[in-house]
Amino acid sequence: MIGSPARSRRAYVNAKVLAPMQGLDCEGGILVEDGWILAVGKAVTRESVGATSTVIDCKGRLLIPGLVDMRVFTGEPGSEYRETLASASEAAAAGGVTTMIVMPNTKPVIDDAAIVDYVLRRARDTAKVRVAPMAAVTKGIAGEQMAEIGLLKRAGAVAVTDAVRAVTNANIFRRALTYARDFDMLVVGHAEEPSLSGGVMNAGEMASRLGLAGIPAMSEVIMLERDLRLVEMTGARYHVAQVSSALSLDVIRRAKDKGLPVTCGVSIHHLVLNETDIGAYRTFFKLTPPLRSEDDRRALVAAVADGTIDVIVSSHDPQSDDTKRLPFGEAAFGAVGLETMLSSALTLSANENISLSRLVEALSQRPSSILGLEQGRLQAGAPADFTVVDPHMSWKVEDASLRSRSKNSPYEHRTLEGRAVETVVAGRSVYEYAP
Amino acid sequence: MTSTATRPALFKAQHLLAISDLSPVEISAVLDLAHHYAGSGKNLPHGDRVLSGQTQVNLFFENSTRTQSSFELAGKRLGADVMNMAVSTSSLSKGETVLDTAMTINAMHPDFLVVRHQSSGAVELLSQKVSCAVINAGDGQHEHPTQALLDALTIRRHYGKLEGLTVAICGDILHSRVARSNIHLLTKMGVRVRCVAPTTLVPSGLPNFGVEVFRDMETGLAGVDVVMMLRLQVERMSGAFIPSLKEFYQFFGLTEETLAFARPGALVMHPGPMNRGVEIDSSVADGAQSVIREQVEMGVAVRMAILDGLDRSRRAGDTP
């Protein structure tokens, strides 16, 4: 659906244009033709674009590069009842996300060039926003045999990862990192030592009071330490998909200080929620890694602000009622997040010490540059993927208003402030907010 | 080269365990003699059958039809009595150690012991315990010196020299004794050696061997005079060192397309046995630039020269 962009010239004017990696923070606009940006900045005004363009007045709202979400789970192929690429892309568009990076733990697993090709073709034919898959780093994400990293990259996979599993065999992971480096392929790690992760929520007082088995932060730290030592040994580009604890941040800082090619992500949920939100066994707050303490959450927010954490993801993980409306211990992990990520992030900039510029970097520009994509930037010649944001519009999260096929949002019934009001992919408007 | 009495020494070593046993001058002398044998070896006059009355034992702890028959033929052409012992099928399965086997063989008083063993250093160990000349026919992932000599002879016969050439050794360097012996020999003789392989198949510290390491065929083969492919040990590769044979062939297989990166007319070599469609395409293996059959032929000549040379070294040692 992205394949044939609008051919006419369109100008979005009277906006506050914000793209820190291009040094843009000004009143102005953006001029688009055939899916590409022709011009952006102060010079683009209603007067300057002339009569040849369709003019859209942004009414002083924020215009930012479209969000690039590095961690999206869909059910396609294999579990379409949870989410399809199409339904996920509806949610993405409504949340200002213009590129979704989908995870490989589908059925079948995305561990073969033909399946990468399938996902890309399905996305082209059915999805509203751009889709690029990460492929498995081991066959069947079984942690035993290296996947065909070279052929997967050639087919269009943007990184390799075993999604929700760490490759526990250190020698296999070492070889995969070594091999991936030859192809300059990014390896994305899931930092969790399985033998320490038998629990269902953060280990500590809260878990003890609820009588639930805990997952200590050390589970994350140990695997992360191991991964970073292997990165030091092999020189591979490595991104840890999500961190959840303050202890992990020290590990990341040390690796970055050493100059290792390491980047770090965090889910939006871990920046705005903590373990006490679980309250009376609310399973929509059962996540992997688990929500941690308030101290951890604050440390994560500070790490986004200072750049230790590079990327914010939605970790959008649609789960049906069958797997969520269960006793806490038996319920599935995961929450949807594509539609609420931007709004939650805006509350961070309103209430905590993270600038809007830093958020735009973490939500769009950094993920794009880590993955080597050409989107995520506002400059002439770049793809016309952007989002118009009203930072003050309040809206209520309800089942009926969520476009995702699954409704497991931890923010259900909450009122959020700020949202995408128009989302543009390849020059085409794919979403317009209608209250 | 002529009769027994007047044969000058080829080299000093009493055994051939590794390429380091030979100096560059000695390697040239071995190749000269091998070249001579390659011309006339099959029809040597009786007086030139210099190993007449001597005993050569081929002791193969690891199966190898082609190397064993090559050594057998080399010994027989020089007049030696050759005995093959396939140890994997006999005493080792009854719990005998390498050294027990060596003692048994020593009691038979052979003059030459040709040994292949799956463990690096096992041939060296044997050589310390027996009183005859020992030839390493391949030990683990360490060395296979006669293979490197026959490869060098093949190259020299085509180019008339070794010095100044550029040779690319491609594929499973990590597990290859052939690669190690070739690297040592060729660098010693002034050849520029490149290794082309995914990093998972490159032993650590390889650049310190005096070679350049490349990660893709296009840059690795650019302008080389010789492309030497290695056998991929398919049974222990898949998913561990490389993702799959299919992917290896796509990125590191020698095809007409990848061969085109090399100098026009570059030689194509392979120590055998080949995995057609894995590390090498049939059209290249059987093509005009392939000298793979010639390598086998040179194998017999080189092994004759080594047997002859060791016999001379031994005689020089006996009569000071």
Side-chain angles (χ1 to χ4, degrees):
Chain A
M1 281 179 140
I2 305 164
S4 54
R7 292 206 65 84
S8 59
R9 280 193 180 188
R10 290 159 70 85
Y12 287 77
V13 300
N14 189 24
K16 182 180 178 328
V17 180
L18 182 61
M21 287 171 85
Q22 280 73 50
L24 281 174
D25 184 0
C26 60
E27 311 290 321
I30 189 163
L31 181 62
V32 174
E33 187 182 59
D34 291 349
W36 302 90
I37 297 172
L38 271 186
V40 61
K42 274 191 201 118
V44 181
T45 62
R46 183 183 293 276
E47 295 71 30
S48 72
V49 296
T52 55
S53 305
T54 311
V55 175
I56 297 105
D57 187 345
C58 296
K59 296 176 181 143
R61 290 175 177 137
L62 195 58
L63 191 154
I64 61 174
L67 275 48
V68 177
D69 188 345
M70 271 182 86
R71 194 169 176 85
V72 175
F73 297 87
T74 79
E76 187 169 359
S79 308
E80 284 82 356
Y81 66 95
R82 288 202 280 134
E83 192 87 290
T84 60
L85 291 165
S87 65
S89 80
E90 293 280 351
V97 173
T98 52
T99 300
M100 299 192 292
I101 309 302
V102 295
M103 293 296 111
N105 57 335
T106 46
K107 295 174 203 159
V109 168
I110 306 176
D111 63 357
D112 186 278
I115 305 170
V116 171
D117 190 57
Y118 171 81
V119 169
L120 287 172
R121 276 186 293 113
R122 281 293 290 172
R124 182 195 64 203
D125 295 344
T126 67
K128 280 186 154 181
V129 303
R130 295 181 203 266
V131 174
M134 288 191 192
V137 66
T138 67
K139 282 168 196 158
I141 60 172
E144 286 160 13
Q145 296 199 322
M146 201 193 304
E148 291 168 337
I149 294 171
L151 294 172
L152 289 165
K153 178 160 186 171
R154 198 182 265 178
V158 292
V160 285
T161 182
D162 277 0
V164 292
R165 290 188 197 163
V167 179
T168 50
N169 183 315
N171 199 30
I172 290 170
F173 197 52
R174 165 209 172 182
R175 293 224 183 92
L177 287 166
T178 305
Y179 192 83
R181 189 189 159 207
D182 285 357
F183 291 89
D184 192 28
M185 188 64 144
L186 179 71
V187 179
V188 176
H190 176 73
E192 184 179 60
E193 165 54 51
S195 59
L196 284 173
S197 302
V200 295
M201 69 172 288
N202 185 36
E205 184 192 337
M206 182 80 189
S208 300
R209 287 185 189 280
L210 291 171
L212 293 172
I215 302 170
M218 219 37 100
S219 157
E220 179 172 295
V221 175
I222 287 172
M223 192 53 83
L224 188 58
E225 286 269 21
R226 184 207 72 168
D227 282 3
L228 296 178
R229 293 291 175 182
L230 292 174
V231 168
E232 194 172 355
M233 180 175 174
T234 59
R237 287 201 295 130
Y238 174 90
H239 175 80
V240 54
Q242 307 183 69
V243 290
S244 66
S245 82
L247 289 171
S248 300
L249 298 170
D250 297 336
V251 181
I252 294 287
R253 285 192 184 102
R254 240 183 295 135
K256 287 190 165 186
D257 286 347
K258 279 189 206 165
L260 299 180
V262 169
T263 51
C264 173
V266 68
S267 96
I268 186 66
H269 306 306
H270 290 85
L271 294 175
V272 297
L273 304 173
N274 67 29
E275 60 180 344
T276 60
D277 286 303
I278 290 168
Y281 305 98
R282 295 161 71 197
T283 59
F284 286 5
F285 294 83
K286 181 177 178 182
L287 306 177
T288 176
L291 293 169
R292 304 273 182 201
S293 70
E294 176 61 10
D295 286 346
D296 286 312
R297 186 194 71 81
R298 284 194 189 148
L300 294 171
V301 169
V304 172
D306 72 21
T308 303
I309 292 174
D310 300 85
V311 170
I312 300 171
V313 297
S314 72
S315 228
H316 181 84
D317 191 358
Q319 296 290 338
S320 65
D321 281 358
D322 297 349
T323 52
K324 272 297 189 186
R325 303 284 183 197
L326 291 173
F328 197 90
E330 296 162 33
F333 291 96
V336 293
L338 275 168
E339 291 179 75
T340 51
M341 173 165 64
L342 178 59
S343 300
S344 301
L346 289 167
T347 63
L348 283 176
S349 113
N351 305 332
E352 320 234 6
N353 200 17
I354 303 183
S355 70
L356 218 44
S357 295
R358 182 65 205 113
L359 283 176
V360 171
E361 279 178 13
L363 290 165
S364 170
Q365 304 209 289
R366 277 297 280 154
S368 190
S369 66
I370 290 168
L371 294 164
L373 306 176
E374 55 178 356
Q375 49 264 34
R377 63 194 73 177
L378 296 185
Q379 64 188 39
D385 290 13
F386 55 88
T387 301
V388 182
V389 177
D390 184 335
H392 304 299
M393 179 176 290
S394 61
W395 62 290
K396 198 162 183 198
V397 182
E398 296 293 356
D399 279 11
S401 65
L402 288 176
R403 282 155 188 78
S404 177
R405 192 166 281 189
S406 296
K407 309 298 183 186
N408 53 313
S409 170
Y411 312 98
E412 63 171 345
H413 312 314
R414 279 208 205 182
T415 298
L416 300 178
E417 191 170 292
R419 63 163 302 123
V421 292
E422 180 163 356
T423 305
V424 176
V425 176
R428 254 169 200 274
S429 182
V430 295
Y431 171 79
E432 277 181 71
Y433 181 62
Chain B
M1 313 281 154
T2 51
S3 65
T4 318
T6 59
R7 292 183 303 147
L10 277 188
F11 47 77
K12 291 191 208 69
Q14 304 285 308
H15 304 289
L16 181 66
L17 303 175
I19 290 298
S20 58
D21 291 331
L22 302 173
S23 71
V25 174
E26 291 172 340
I27 289 169
S28 292
V30 169
L31 297 183
D32 289 344
L33 182 60
H35 180 73
H36 162 76
Y37 279 136
S40 59
K42 202 177 170 192
N43 305 301
L44 280 184
H46 218 73
D48 283 353
R49 302 202 171 172
V50 292
L51 302 189
S52 190
Q54 302 200 41
T55 308
Q56 171 190 340
V57 175
N58 294 338
L59 181 60
F60 277 62
F61 293 88
E62 200 180 64
N63 291 329
S64 164
T65 319
R66 64 169 66 209
T67 307
Q68 184 171 321
S69 20
S70 179
F71 270 108
E72 182 175 352
L73 201 53
K76 283 179 172 167
R77 283 188 182 167
L78 289 173
D81 300 318
V82 184
M83 185 177 80
N84 288 319
M85 289 189 65
V87 194
S88 50
T89 54
S90 69
S91 37
L92 273 200
S93 45
K94 296 170 192 155
E96 197 175 83
T97 68
V98 178
L99 291 179
D100 291 338
T101 310
M103 290 307 132
T104 310
I105 289 166
N106 218 12
M108 299 173 187
H109 303 292
D111 300 283
F112 301 96
L113 190 57
V114 177
V115 187
R116 166 164 292 188
H117 198 281
Q118 59 277 7
S119 298
S120 304
V123 182
E124 166 105 35
L125 179 65
L126 262 171
S127 74
Q128 295 162 7
K129 302 291 176 189
V130 297
S131 47
C132 60
V134 175
I135 302 173
N136 182 359
D139 64 325
Q141 299 169 8
H142 176 228
E143 283 230 34
H144 190 356
T146 56
Q147 177 73 41
L149 287 163
L150 76 88
D151 288 339
L153 179 60
T154 308
I155 297 169
R156 208 181 71 167
R157 283 161 65 96
H158 279 268
Y159 285 104
K161 61 168 187 177
L162 290 172
E163 193 170 358
L165 296 177
T166 304
V167 175
I169 304 176
C170 309
D172 185 5
I173 316 278
L174 182 65
H175 298 106
S176 176
R177 54 196 174 214
V178 173
R180 283 174 180 74
S181 286
N182 262 303
I183 289 168
H184 295 318
L185 188 153
L186 292 170
T187 52
K188 219 170 196 173
M189 301 307 284
V191 174
R192 290 185 55 184
V193 178
R194 298 178 180 182
C195 290
V196 188
T199 308
T200 45
L201 293 178
V202 173
S204 62
L206 187 63
N208 297 335
F209 286 47
V211 304
E212 282 182 281
V213 181
F214 292 83
R215 290 174 187 160
D216 66 275
M217 296 290 266
E218 182 165 358
T219 54
L221 297 195
V224 301
D225 302 296
V226 178
V227 182
M228 192 181 282
M229 301 306 295
L230 298 172
R231 174 183 166 74
L232 193 72
Q233 301 184 12
V234 293
E235 51 288 348
R236 58 175 173 186
M237 276 296 136
S238 268
F241 295 92
I242 53 164
S244 65
L245 303 183
K246 180 177 85 182
E247 172 146 329
F248 186 81
Y249 176 74
Q250 286 285 325
F251 292 99
F252 291 96
L254 188 66
T255 61
E256 286 178 11
E257 290 76 39
T258 46
L259 180 57
F261 298 128
R263 197 184 61 74
L267 302 182
V268 172
M269 305 179 75
H270 193 299
M274 288 181 278
N275 299 299
R276 289 170 185 266
V278 178
E279 71 263 359
I280 190 164
D281 205 67
S282 278
S283 64
V284 176
D286 306 328
Q289 290 167 252
S290 168
V291 293
I292 295 170
R293 269 198 4 220
E294 193 180 333
Q295 284 175 270
V296 179
E297 198 185 327
M298 290 308 112
V300 179
V302 152
R303 284 157 187 144
M304 288 171 76
I306 288 297
L307 288 165
D308 186 347
L310 285 171
D311 181 50
R312 297 183 196 191
S313 297
R314 298 244 137 195
R315 285 168 194 281
D318 288 347
T319 52

